[in-house]
Amino acid sequence: MHVHGVCLDNYSLCSSLKASSSIKDVSFGKQVHVHVIKSGYLSSVFVGSALIDLYAKSSSVGDAKVVFDEIPVKNSVCANALLLGYCEAKLWDEVLELVRLMPALKLEYDNFTLSAMLRACAGLSGIEFGRQAHAYLIRKFNDIVNDVFVQSSLIEMYGKCGLVWKALQVFDLAGHEQGRERSKDVVLWTSMLGVYGRNGHFNEVIQLFEAMLIAETELDGVAFVTVISACGHTGQVKLGVEYFESMIRDYKLDPGPEHYSCLVDLHCRAGELDKAWKLINEMLHKRLGSDSVSMWGALLSSCYDHGNFELGKLAAQKALELDPQNVGVYVMLSNLYAKFNMWDEIGRLREVMKQKGLKKDVGCSWIEVSTCHD
């Protein structure tokens, strides 16, 4: 169109930018951006939104922010596109800053805005702001009961803030209304499974998973990762293996590295190192799931607990081949050496860490502080 002198309008520019966003071709998108500036189409809120969306989805959040600041006419779609970029980059403070700014820009919140806000509250463990967002949702949006994504964001926010009972309250009230019943899809179920799993309620994970089976929910790989991991933490090896086999046999789901890692961890926690090693060998042979640092780390940890030096050293080597900068693996290997009084090896290991500029992470925690004013 450009070569043949055909005039590019809002529709063609937005379509070009959307295509660039879909295939993450930032280079072509920037060429379109230049044309937008030269032709004066930056004043179009639709073109501006498409530009912000392009940069946000291409991890160029700084460029997305520049466009947002430059476009003369803004709407909630523009703000939501930038919020999405912030969320993907885990820039939680920037999310909340933009949300606070929106009323001054005369931009209204919608479900997408509130969902981004809840994700930020979860990322920051900001429970008070999260509660305010929940209250706003109840007051302003009558259709929240039918928005599973906002509901799942609420569940995850409360879960990440440690309020499991509050997450369960939301879960019990969530779902599409069908007469007197509420139908929950797999997104809501897996959100609640994740809350239980992250907070150490592993028996509840298994109970909720069984409820999913009774409800004949369409299961996905995320649900199986969570329940197999819970079986490992509760020592239910046989049940965990049954779930893994059922995932393949009954639900026709292809297990990924995370499923195999959970299965290896399951055997490791039970002290079944031979079974764990046999499973890893099968995976190596089939080229399935053998590239997981967490899997080798689980085997290394179990080897430390059960005094298997040779296998533990091999697991550490494999983990460091995948992630040479992983401080946790170095620390576990050092502990393994210490268990067998191999002080010279510990010294050499510390020298390697020093050369790589690696240091053991310092533990930390945070709390939300409320400041009261008279």
Side-chain angles (χ1 to χ4, degrees):
M1 291 172 68
H2 186 66
V3 169
H4 290 282
V6 179
C7 182
L8 299 173
D9 57 10
N10 269 358
Y11 183 81
S12 54
L13 289 170
C14 289
S15 298
S16 300
L17 290 168
K18 184 176 180 180
S20 301
S21 175
S22 297
I23 63 174
K24 292 183 170 53
D25 188 347
V26 185
S27 178
F28 180 74
K30 286 185 175 181
Q31 293 178 50
V32 178
H33 188 179
V34 171
H35 180 81
V36 166
I37 294 173
K38 288 181 177 179
S39 59
Y41 273 106
L42 197 60
S43 60
S44 166
V45 69
F46 303 106
V47 174
S49 297
L51 274 170
I52 294 169
D53 185 67
L54 163 71
Y55 288 126
K57 289 182 178 177
S58 303
S59 302
S60 301
V61 186
D63 290 330
K65 174 66 163 58
V66 170
V67 175
F68 181 81
D69 290 338
E70 288 181 349
I71 55 177
V73 181
K74 301 176 177 64
N75 63 9
S76 297
V77 177
C78 300
N80 289 335
L82 183 55
L83 285 171
L84 174 63
Y86 284 150
C87 285
E88 293 302 312
K90 293 183 171 52
L91 298 173
W92 308 125
D93 287 325
E94 285 79 354
V95 170
L96 298 184
E97 182 181 348
L98 179 55
V99 168
R100 291 189 182 103
L101 181 64
M102 286 177 66
L105 297 174
K106 295 182 170 53
L107 304 180
E108 293 186 358
Y109 299 155
D110 59 16
N111 289 19
F112 295 102
T113 312
L114 272 296
S115 182
M117 186 194 302
L118 291 169
R119 287 182 65 184
C121 293
L124 294 170
S125 298
I127 184 60
E128 289 306 320
F129 201 9
R131 279 174 167 159
Q132 292 175 35
H134 189 181
Y136 184 90
L137 278 165
I138 294 172
R139 290 197 309 271
K140 297 292 185 178
F141 297 97
N142 296 324
D143 62 339
I144 183 177
V145 294
N146 292 317
D147 192 327
V148 295
F149 295 104
V150 171
Q151 291 172 343
S152 64
S153 295
L154 273 171
I155 292 168
E156 290 173 9
M157 184 274 293
Y158 282 120
K160 287 185 178 180
C161 292
L163 299 181
V164 179
W165 64 273
K166 191 66 177 178
L168 184 59
Q169 275 187 343
V170 176
F171 175 77
D172 287 340
L173 295 172
H176 294 289
E177 289 184 326
Q178 295 182 347
R180 294 185 177 180
E181 301 294 327
R182 287 191 180 275
S183 174
K184 296 178 173 62
D185 70 355
V186 67
V187 175
L188 292 171
W189 286 99
T190 52
S191 294
M192 194 63 218
L193 281 175
V195 168
Y196 278 143
R198 280 191 298 272
N199 288 276
H201 297 256
F202 300 115
N203 286 317
E204 285 81 355
V205 169
I206 297 171
Q207 292 170 10
L208 190 63
F209 186 83
E210 291 293 335
M212 289 179 72
L213 297 179
I214 294 171
E216 297 182 346
T217 306
E218 184 178 351
L219 301 176
D220 62 6
V222 177
F224 279 102
V225 166
T226 309
V227 75
I228 294 170
S229 176
C231 289
H233 283 86
T234 55
Q236 301 185 65
V237 180
K238 184 179 178 181
L239 183 61
V241 173
E242 286 177 0
Y243 284 144
F244 182 83
E245 293 174 348
S246 175
M247 177 181 70
I248 302 170
R249 181 186 64 247
D250 302 327
Y251 296 93
K252 312 302 180 187
L253 295 172
D254 294 326
E258 62 277 11
H259 298 99
Y260 284 108
S261 294
C262 287
L263 199 60
V264 170
D265 183 65
L266 182 81
H267 290 302
C268 286
R269 288 179 180 275
E272 299 176 346
L273 297 182
D274 291 340
K275 289 184 179 179
W277 179 239
K278 182 180 178 182
L279 179 62
I280 292 173
N281 276 328
E282 290 177 4
M283 292 155 54
L284 290 169
H285 179 70
K286 296 178 181 178
R287 300 181 182 275
L288 293 172
S290 58
D291 57 348
S292 170
V293 176
S294 62
M295 178 186 69
W296 291 111
L299 183 59
L300 172 57
S301 177
S302 186
C303 287
Y304 170 81
D305 292 336
H306 296 89
N308 191 324
F309 175 76
E310 293 300 329
L311 187 55
K313 186 177 179 181
L314 175 61
Q317 289 173 348
K318 293 292 185 181
L320 291 174
E321 286 175 9
L322 295 170
D323 186 2
Q325 303 297 114
N326 193 308
V327 177
V329 175
Y330 281 104
V331 171
M332 284 195 291
L333 181 57
S334 177
N335 291 339
L336 183 67
Y337 285 145
K339 189 166 188 173
F340 289 88
N341 299 318
M342 302 176 70
W343 310 116
D344 292 340
E345 293 295 334
I346 292 176
R348 280 190 280 270
L349 196 62
R350 287 176 178 171
E351 187 61 31
V352 170
M353 292 179 67
K354 185 177 180 181
Q355 291 173 0
K356 290 178 177 287
L358 302 177
K359 293 182 179 180
K360 184 178 178 181
D361 292 335
V362 178
C364 65
S365 61
W366 68 32
I367 59 171
E368 187 176 84
V369 178
S370 297
T371 304
C372 297
H373 301 281
D374 294 332

